[in-house]
Amino acid sequence: MAKYYPELSPLFHALADPTRRSILTRLAEGPARVTDLSEPTGLRLPTVMRHLSVLEEAGLISTSKDGRVRTCAIVPEALEPVRTWLDEQRAIWEGRLGRLEAFAMKAMKEGTK
Amino acid sequence: MAKYYPELSPLFHALADPTRRSILTRLAEGPARVTDLSEPTGLRLPTVMRHLSVLEEAGLISTSKDGRVRTCAIVPEALEPVRTWLDEQRAIWEGRLGRLEAFAMKAMKEGTK
DNA sequence: ATAATACTTAGCCATTTGACTAACTAACCC
DNA sequence: GGGTTAGTTAGTCAAATGGCTAAGTATTAT
């Protein structure tokens, strides 16, 4: 029986937006200021702020303010629950597929008799 | 070599809803009718239908109608792009890739919608 | 002290989401 | 044929999403 991960919804939701994924990819190069993230996307600052807060609430990034500059950085371990869920699903899904394959294999053998 | 994944947004979006994830978990046991999926969730048929169409458009399930019964089944390989993206991100985030490779990865991800 | 920079907050707007009910169609069963 | 079953379609509704502008605050630069 699969476990229930309450934190998966905000994570998947945060990852569902291409702008947010591109922000993550940019941050993978290293920390960046809000303005640095605004320029390549062509989005206004408040819009970027919104995306950043979604990412931060999902635990995917962390931010800190020094003077008037807010610096954003990735939280590498944040993807772990997603990975765990994915591993679990694959195990179940492929297990099911395995059983179907076994059945098909048996049926084929029977048919060749 | 990494691929280009236009389908990531619908996939992540489909997975962001707990009801849809529970439907997937149920379908992992084996194919089911729409009504079978409606009962455990406590949701009405049209609501379940909506979730199913989101899952089907994301490629996570396939459905077929026989008489008046629609049967839904999982598409196990549908999670592959998610897994691949996750593997890539982990590699970058954990700093296993050089700066140049990370840059190339970012360039390829550009335009992902 | 003033101006420029870097957010931040508030609020607007169109679209999408996720739920529902009501009414409709298309099998199947007697 | 008439009733039941299984979806399906259409339409409503509140809340959330993703963009914006305009106006605020705090910090740094001249």
Side-chain angles (χ1 to χ4, degrees):
Chain A
M1 181 56 170
K3 286 191 287 184
Y4 174 65
Y5 305 102
E7 73 275 25
L8 277 178
S9 294
L11 269 175
F12 279 128
H13 170 68
L15 296 174
D17 186 281
T19 298
R20 285 193 289 266
R21 287 199 305 279
S22 80
I23 288 176
L24 288 179
T25 305
R26 162 65 187 80
L27 287 179
E29 291 177 30
R33 303 176 310 156
V34 179
T35 304
D36 295 335
L37 299 171
S38 164
E39 279 160 9
T41 57
L43 296 174
R44 301 290 182 181
L45 274 183
T47 307
V48 174
M49 289 284 296
R50 195 89 195 174
H51 284 302
L52 291 177
S53 78
V54 171
L55 288 169
E56 191 165 18
E57 275 166 33
L60 286 163
I61 68 170
S62 69
T63 77
S64 63
K65 201 167 178 180
D66 179 22
R68 61 184 163 170
V69 175
R70 179 170 296 280
T71 302
C72 310
I74 248 170
V75 177
E77 63 271 28
L79 286 182
E80 270 318 300
V82 176
R83 171 166 300 282
T84 304
W85 184 85
L86 219 61
D87 284 341
E88 209 176 272
Q89 294 303 309
R90 184 165 67 169
I92 303 173
W93 293 25
E94 287 185 352
R96 172 67 190 175
L97 189 63
R99 287 197 293 281
L100 283 173
E101 279 169 356
F103 176 80
M105 204 69 79
K106 186 187 173 193
M108 280 171 58
K109 281 186 176 178
E110 303 286 312
T112 56
K113 275 183 185 173
Chain B
M1 191 46 124
K3 294 187 304 179
Y4 162 80
Y5 318 103
E7 72 274 29
L8 274 179
S9 293
L11 268 175
F12 278 127
H13 170 68
L15 296 174
D17 186 280
T19 299
R20 285 194 289 265
R21 288 199 304 278
S22 82
I23 287 176
L24 287 179
T25 305
R26 164 63 188 81
L27 287 179
E29 293 175 27
R33 303 176 310 156
V34 178
T35 305
D36 295 334
L37 299 170
S38 163
E39 280 160 9
T41 58
L43 296 174
R44 301 290 181 179
L45 272 184
T47 306
V48 174
M49 289 283 295
R50 200 86 199 218
H51 285 302
L52 291 177
S53 78
V54 170
L55 288 168
E56 191 165 19
E57 275 166 32
L60 285 163
I61 67 170
S62 69
T63 76
S64 63
K65 203 166 177 182
D66 179 23
R68 59 183 166 170
V69 175
R70 178 171 296 280
T71 302
C72 310
I74 247 170
V75 177
E77 63 271 27
L79 285 183
E80 269 318 300
V82 177
R83 171 168 297 283
T84 304
W85 183 85
L86 219 62
D87 285 341
E88 271 176 25
Q89 294 302 310
R90 183 164 67 168
I92 302 173
W93 293 24
E94 291 183 354
R96 285 187 192 158
L97 292 189
R99 193 167 253 290
L100 190 59
E101 280 168 299
F103 176 79
M105 205 69 83
K106 186 205 171 199
M108 279 186 291
K109 288 273 201 280
E110 221 83 309
T112 295
K113 290 276 184 235

